[in-house]
């Protein structure tokens, strides 16, 4: 290591402690390195180096910095004088002297400013004259490749050939596209023989696309010889053959969806939905469950922001239905769409809740988890074998607050009422879960759907009757199906709105499409917008329908039910009205259209004084009483027969009844008779039909 030199003698440098710092002296440069060398103090090597430097100085003239500056300035002046003019900015307005003529004091003009602009590529023609006119400004487009192909390199030749080929390929591609568009516009309607002779499904698929394209712009692309109905008929047959549906179901789906959306629905129904599970909040949290399954080699994600308990499973190294977590009851295999009805129901703690068709217990266990095992949960199902699955799942999941019943849901109101909330996941045709059950494509017909919606109507009315409208926390009912047909959804809901004192309420679900307020020639209640529909192609879950009701009165309106039971209720209500009016008349209370007892007595006195026939009236009264006591209906008048045959008519004293009230009661009694006769006729018809069927 060398020692530090003293470049600044006047400055005091601090030194650190140490022996070397104290003993060693500061370095001093020899004078030989300066302008006047001293030979006495130099060593042998230093002398040799100095001689070499002197030789170099003699051979090459030494340029000091001042000399270099002067030479560079002179050279630059010569260059500018020769072919350059001094540079001037566009904003500068000074007049500078011209380099060519020293006497001229005009300087630069506006014409000189074009020299300040950047030069473009120029083409110079070689002439004898060296004037400025021979120089012409040009562009890159003016430069032409006049050189022959022989002068080009082989790489350049290949590049030219490639460019020519690319241009030709682009032209051919444009021509092909135009030809394809022309072919699409000129789609010819195939005959029956051509359709029967189709060799592959690819041809059928291409024909479906062509027909959908024609129907999308029918006025321009149509064949004038064929109508729209013929195109639709051909499309229906092709869809049946390609997707293997029966004609009835394809026709229903064509009525339900636009054509482009129909193809999306059919394609989505061919692919199974992703596997989903629901965490049991009675035993674990979703975060802990997800971590445990990830450690076992399961690839999963949350279902979405709309659910706090759902998980989607993409792949697994372990069977999902046999993990220790599954056997411990930490989760249950459940579709994403089946979480929606329970979320819409929103059960609360310490409530009485009924699940009318609960098997196999997925939704019922979800309700129990949200109730935190408080209150009472009634899980009912008609099939006794399926109730065993409810028992098994409840034991595994740790549900304690449940009562499992096995009976027909339509008869449930006769046994128990007064529930705070009711969930009815009604049996349906299953048109929303075709991906799970491919047999739905062929097995379902119009009779099956009629049976379904008749059963759904009866179950829905029974579920509404089970509700308690005066419940402090509830009075809500959720109706759901795994069908997408309006016959099983909007029709049933609209029927319930007419027959019971209920209204539709917001489901609380943020996503999903609105229900139909009008479908083809049918018109439904405007509040049907509050219902929600879910499709496999739009929401990546099974097709589903959810509607939420609020019951505002426990009274059944007149005509409620629309069946024999409803008609019997009407007859009973009218009979009660007749009896109540007769009691009011006896007690002297005011009746609409009638008079009190005091007014009647005054009227009777006046009538007796006018008529002056007391004997005749007494005889009539005696005969009437004798006939009633003897019970001889033949001797009694026709009026007494009609009164005795009706419900509650024998309890009325027709003497005290005014004419106006009597006429009204008589009309009601006649209606009651007609209804009773109608019910008897209907019963006789049903009995005869059953006998014929046997």
């Amino acid at each position: 290591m060398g020692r530090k030199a003293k470049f600044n003698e006047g400055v005091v440098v601090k030194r650190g402690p140490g022996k070397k710092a104290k003993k060693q002296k500061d370095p001093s440069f020899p004078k030989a390195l300066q302008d006047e060398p001293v030979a006495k103090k130099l060593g042998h090597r230093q002398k040799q180096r100095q001689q070499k430097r002197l030789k170099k100085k003699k051979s090459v003239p030494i340029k000091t910095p001042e000399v270099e500056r002067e030479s560079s300035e002179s050279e630059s002046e010569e260059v500018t004088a020769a072919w350059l003019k001094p540079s001037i900015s566009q904003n500068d307005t000074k007049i500078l002297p011209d380099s060519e003529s020293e006497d001229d004091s005009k300087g630069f003009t506006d014409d000189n400013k074009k020299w300040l602009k950047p030069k473009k590529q120029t083409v110079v023609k070689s002439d004898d004259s060296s004037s400025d006119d021979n120089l012409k400004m040009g562009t890159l487009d003016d430069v032409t490749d006049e050189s022959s192909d022989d002068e080009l390199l082989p790489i350049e030749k290949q590049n030219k050939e490639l460019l020519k080929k690319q241009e030709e390929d682009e032209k051919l591609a444009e021509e092909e596209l135009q030809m394809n568009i022309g072919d699409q516009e000129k789609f010819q309607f195939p005959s029956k023989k051509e359709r029967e002779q189709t060799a592959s499904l690819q041809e059928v698929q291409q024909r479906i696309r062509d027909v959908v394209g024609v129907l999308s712009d029918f006025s321009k692309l149509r064949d004038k010889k064929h109508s729209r109905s013929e195109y639709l008929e051909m499309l229906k047959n092709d869809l049946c053959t390609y997707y293997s549906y029966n004609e009835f179901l394809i026709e229903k789906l064509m009525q339900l969806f636009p054509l482009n959306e129909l193809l999306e629905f059919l394609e989505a129904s061919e692919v199974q939905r992703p596997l989903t599970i629901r965490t049991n909040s009675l035993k674990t949290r979703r975060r802990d469950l997800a971590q445990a399954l990830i450690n076992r080699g399961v690839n999963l994600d949350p279902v979405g922001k709309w659910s706090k308990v759902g998980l989607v499973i993409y792949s697994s190294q372990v069977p999902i239905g046999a993990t220790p977590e599954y056997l411990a009851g930490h989760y249950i295999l459940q579709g994403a769409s089946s979480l929606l009805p329970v979320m819409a129901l929103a059960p609360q703690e310490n409530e009485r809740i009924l699940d009318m068709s609960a098997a196999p217990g997925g939704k019922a266990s979800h309700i129990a988890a949200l109730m935190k095992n408080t209150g009472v949960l009634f899980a009912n199902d008609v099939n006794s074998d399926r109730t065993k699955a409810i028992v098994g799942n409840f034991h595994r999941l740790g549900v304690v607050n449940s009562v499992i019943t096995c009976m027909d849901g339509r008869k449930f109101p006769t046994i128990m009422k007064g529930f705070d909330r009711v969930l009815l996941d009604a049996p349906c045709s299953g048109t929303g879960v075709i991906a799970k059950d491919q047999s739905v494509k062929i097995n379902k017909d119009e009779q099956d759907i009629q049976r379904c919606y008749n059963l759904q109507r009866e179950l829905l009315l029974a579920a509404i009757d089970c509700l308690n409208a005066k419940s402090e926390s509830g009075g809500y009912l959720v109706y759901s199906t795994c069908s997408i047909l309006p016959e099983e959804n909007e029709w049933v809901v609209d029927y319930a709105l007419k027959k019971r004192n209920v209204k539709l309420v917001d489901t609380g679900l943020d996503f999903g499409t609105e229900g139909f307020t009008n479908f083809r020639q049918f018109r439904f209640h405007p509040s049907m917008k509050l219902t929600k529909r879910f499709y496999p192609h739009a929401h990546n879950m099974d097709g589903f329908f959810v509607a939420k009701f609020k019951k505002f009165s426990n009274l059944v309106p007149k005509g409620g039910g629309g069946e024999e039971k409803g008609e019997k209720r009407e007859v009973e209500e009218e009979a009660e009205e007749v009896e109540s009016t007769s009691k009011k008349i006896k007690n002297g209370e005011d009746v609409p259209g009638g008079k009190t007892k005091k007014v009647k007595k005054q009227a009777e006195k006046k009538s007796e004084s006018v008529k002056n026939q007391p004997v005749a009236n007494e005889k009539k009264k005696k005969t009437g009483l004798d006939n009633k006591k003897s019970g001889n209906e033949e001797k009694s008048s026709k009026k007494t027969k009609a009164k005795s045959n009706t419900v509650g008519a024998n309890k009325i004293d027709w003497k005290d009844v005014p004419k106006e009230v009597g006429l009204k009661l008589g009309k009601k009694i006649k209606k009651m008779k007609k209804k009773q006769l109608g019910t008897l006729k209907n019963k006789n018809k049903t009995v005869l039909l059953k006998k014929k069927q046997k």
Side-chain angles (χ1 to χ4, degrees):
M1 292 293 289
R3 288 171 292 174
K4 291 183 180 179
K6 268 190 176 182
F7 295 102
N8 299 323
E9 294 180 356
V11 180
V12 179
V13 181
K14 290 184 180 180
R15 298 176 183 174
K19 293 178 181 180
K20 288 184 179 181
K22 292 177 182 178
K23 290 178 181 179
Q24 291 178 357
K25 295 179 181 181
D26 295 327
S28 60
F29 292 101
K31 291 182 179 180
L33 297 174
Q34 297 177 3
D35 295 335
E36 295 178 359
V38 180
K40 292 179 181 180
K41 294 182 180 180
L42 294 176
H44 179 69
R45 291 282 179 91
Q46 289 177 349
K47 288 177 183 178
Q48 288 179 354
R49 289 173 188 165
Q50 189 177 9
Q51 288 174 4
K52 287 180 182 179
R53 288 172 188 160
L54 290 170
K55 287 178 183 179
K56 285 181 181 178
K57 285 179 183 179
K58 290 177 182 178
S59 62
V60 180
I62 298 167
K63 287 185 179 181
T64 59
E66 294 177 356
V67 176
E68 288 178 359
R69 285 176 190 170
E70 290 175 359
S71 62
S72 62
E73 285 176 1
S74 61
E75 287 175 2
S76 62
E77 285 175 0
E78 290 174 2
V79 172
T80 52
W83 59 280
L84 284 176
K85 294 183 180 181
S87 61
I88 301 173
S89 63
Q90 292 179 357
N91 296 325
D92 201 355
T93 57
K94 292 181 180 179
I95 299 171
L96 299 174
D98 194 358
S99 61
E100 293 178 359
S101 62
E102 296 177 357
D103 297 334
D104 295 336
S105 61
K106 293 180 181 179
F108 284 102
T109 60
D110 293 334
D111 296 333
N112 301 124
K113 291 183 181 180
K114 63 188 177 182
W115 293 93
L116 302 174
K117 296 178 183 178
K119 291 186 178 181
K120 296 182 181 178
Q121 188 172 354
T122 57
V123 180
V124 182
K125 292 182 180 179
S126 59
D127 293 332
D128 296 334
S129 61
S130 61
S131 62
D132 294 336
D133 297 334
N134 293 330
L135 298 172
K136 292 184 179 180
M137 302 296 292
T139 60
L140 290 171
D141 297 331
D142 298 332
V143 180
T144 55
D145 294 333
E146 295 177 358
S147 60
S148 61
D149 294 338
D150 297 334
E151 295 177 0
L152 295 173
L153 294 169
I155 296 171
E156 293 176 344
K157 291 178 183 178
Q158 290 175 4
N159 190 17
K160 276 189 175 183
E161 291 175 0
L162 286 170
L163 290 171
K164 287 180 182 178
K165 284 182 181 179
Q166 285 178 0
E167 290 176 359
E168 290 176 359
D169 291 338
E170 286 176 359
K171 288 179 182 179
L172 290 170
E174 288 178 0
E175 290 175 1
E176 286 177 0
L177 284 170
Q178 290 175 359
M179 291 293 290
N180 290 331
I181 293 164
D183 293 339
Q184 287 178 0
E185 291 176 353
K186 297 176 183 178
F187 173 72
Q188 294 180 355
F189 194 89
S191 61
K192 289 183 179 179
K193 291 181 180 179
E194 290 175 354
R195 278 182 269 167
E196 289 174 359
Q197 291 175 358
T198 51
S200 62
L201 289 172
Q202 292 179 354
E203 294 179 7
V204 178
Q205 187 182 14
Q206 186 61 40
R207 195 191 303 150
I208 288 167
R209 290 176 182 172
D210 293 337
V211 173
V212 170
V214 171
L215 291 170
S216 63
D217 193 359
F218 190 67
S219 59
K220 292 182 180 179
L221 305 177
R222 64 173 294 187
D223 186 0
K224 294 181 180 179
K225 295 179 182 178
H226 301 281
S227 63
R228 190 182 184 90
S229 59
E230 291 176 350
Y231 276 97
L232 289 170
E233 187 67 25
M234 182 176 66
L235 178 63
K236 184 174 74 174
N237 294 329
D238 289 340
L239 289 172
C240 291
T241 54
Y242 187 75
Y243 293 102
S244 66
Y245 281 77
N246 59 2
E247 291 185 0
F248 168 76
L249 193 56
I250 280 288
E251 191 173 355
K252 287 286 182 186
L253 295 174
M254 287 175 73
Q255 293 172 2
L256 187 62
F257 295 109
L259 293 177
N260 291 323
E261 194 175 356
L262 173 63
L263 295 177
E264 292 178 6
F265 172 79
L266 295 173
E267 288 291 337
S269 297
E270 297 296 315
V271 183
Q272 288 189 353
R273 305 275 72 76
L275 179 65
T276 56
I277 61 174
R278 179 181 62 81
T279 56
N280 182 18
S281 58
L282 294 173
K283 291 191 174 183
T284 186
R285 294 185 303 173
R286 184 170 69 169
R287 187 184 300 171
D288 299 335
L289 176 64
Q291 190 61 46
L293 292 175
I294 288 166
N295 293 336
R296 295 189 184 279
V298 181
N299 186 13
L300 51 84
D301 271 330
V303 170
K305 293 181 180 179
W306 55 270
S307 175
K308 295 180 181 179
V309 293
L311 289 169
V312 184
I313 293 172
Y314 302 112
S315 61
S316 175
Q317 298 177 2
V318 185
I320 297 298
T323 60
E325 286 80 13
Y326 177 81
L327 298 173
H330 290 186
Y331 67 90
I332 184 172
L333 298 173
Q334 193 172 356
S337 57
S338 61
L339 303 175
L340 302 171
V342 181
M343 291 173 63
L345 187 65
Q348 305 297 320
E349 296 180 19
N350 299 314
E351 286 185 339
R352 292 180 70 210
I353 297 177
L354 170 65
D355 189 354
M356 193 167 273
S357 55
K363 298 181 184 67
S365 60
H366 192 186
I367 292 168
L370 292 173
M371 292 170 71
K372 297 179 182 178
N373 267 338
T374 60
V376 184
L377 171 64
F378 288 84
N380 177 62
D381 201 85
V382 186
N383 194 344
S384 59
D385 294 332
R386 297 189 74 190
T387 53
K388 294 175 183 177
I390 301 173
V391 175
N393 282 321
F394 278 13
H395 278 301
R396 185 173 59 82
L397 297 169
V399 177
V400 179
N401 63 337
S402 63
V403 177
I404 298 169
T405 59
C406 179
M407 63 176 300
D408 190 355
R410 293 172 289 184
K411 297 177 182 178
F412 212 92
T414 59
I415 296 168
M416 192 175 294
K417 291 183 180 180
F419 290 98
D420 295 316
R421 295 172 198 264
V422 177
L423 174 63
L424 175 59
D425 186 25
C428 62
S429 60
T431 52
V433 290
I434 296 171
K436 288 182 182 177
D437 187 7
Q438 295 288 326
S439 63
V440 176
K441 295 179 179 180
I442 304 166
N443 295 340
K444 301 300 175 184
D445 56 359
E446 193 170 0
Q447 290 181 355
D448 293 327
I449 290 167
Q450 285 178 355
R451 287 171 193 160
C452 284
Y453 73 71
N454 283 328
L455 177 62
Q456 288 160 0
R457 287 175 178 180
E458 293 175 6
L459 286 170
L460 184 54
L461 294 179
I464 293 168
D465 292 338
C466 289
L467 269 178
N468 181 17
K470 296 179 181 178
S471 173
E472 294 179 357
S473 61
Y476 294 102
L477 180 142
V478 170
Y479 172 77
S480 63
T481 62
C482 55
S483 174
I484 58 171
L485 298 179
E487 290 88 342
E488 299 178 73
N489 299 325
E490 281 85 359
W491 285 16
V492 178
V493 172
D494 194 61
Y495 177 81
L497 292 172
K498 292 175 182 176
K499 295 296 180 181
R500 292 290 185 272
N501 291 321
V502 291
K503 62 179 180 179
L504 284 171
V505 185
D506 188 14
T507 57
L509 302 172
D510 297 332
F511 65 106
T513 57
E514 294 178 352
F516 297 131
T517 53
N518 53 0
F519 178 72
R520 295 174 70 81
Q521 72 270 23
F522 304 102
R523 300 292 177 270
F524 303 116
H525 198 272
S527 64
M528 207 68 69
K529 289 182 179 179
L530 298 171
T531 61
K532 292 290 183 182
R533 284 176 157 268
F534 302 92
Y535 299 115
H537 64 282
H539 307 101
N540 197 20
M541 60 176 66
D542 295 327
F544 227 75
F545 175 82
V546 180
K548 188 176 183 179
F549 294 92
K550 168 72 175 172
K551 188 175 182 180
F552 55 84
S553 176
N554 288 325
L555 295 173
V556 178
K558 291 182 180 180
E563 300 172 357
E564 294 178 3
K565 292 179 181 179
E567 291 174 359
K568 287 178 182 177
R569 286 172 187 168
E570 285 182 2
V571 172
E572 289 172 1
E573 286 174 359
E574 289 178 357
E576 288 175 1
E577 286 182 4
V578 171
E579 289 177 4
S580 64
T581 50
S582 64
K583 285 178 183 178
K584 287 179 182 179
I585 291 165
K586 286 179 181 179
N587 297 328
E589 296 177 1
D590 291 330
V591 180
K595 297 178 181 179
T596 58
K597 266 191 175 182
K598 293 179 181 178
V599 177
K600 287 175 190 175
K601 287 179 180 179
Q602 291 175 1
E604 284 176 0
K605 286 178 182 179
K606 288 179 182 179
S607 62
E608 285 175 0
S609 62
V610 173
K611 290 179 182 178
N612 292 322
Q613 293 178 352
V615 179
N617 290 329
E618 286 177 1
K619 286 181 180 179
K620 286 179 182 178
K621 288 178 183 178
K622 285 180 181 179
T623 53
L625 291 167
D626 293 335
N627 288 329
K628 285 179 183 178
K629 288 178 182 178
S630 61
N632 296 324
E633 292 178 0
E634 294 177 357
K635 293 180 181 180
S636 63
S637 62
K638 293 180 181 179
K639 292 181 181 179
T640 54
K641 282 183 182 180
K643 291 172 187 177
S644 62
N645 289 330
T646 56
V647 178
N650 293 327
K651 298 178 182 179
I652 300 170
D653 293 333
W654 293 96
K655 299 175 189 177
D656 301 332
V657 177
K659 288 183 180 180
E660 294 177 357
V661 178
L663 290 169
K664 287 182 180 179
L665 292 173
K667 287 178 182 178
K668 285 185 179 180
I669 289 161
K670 285 180 182 178
K671 285 181 182 178
M672 289 161 63
K673 273 187 177 183
K674 286 179 181 178
K675 285 180 181 178
Q676 286 175 352
L677 291 169
T679 52
L680 289 169
K681 286 178 182 178
N682 290 328
K683 285 180 181 178
N684 293 328
K685 284 180 181 179
T686 53
V687 171
L688 290 169
L689 288 168
K690 287 179 181 179
K691 286 181 180 179
K692 286 180 181 179
Q693 288 175 359
K694 289 179 180 179

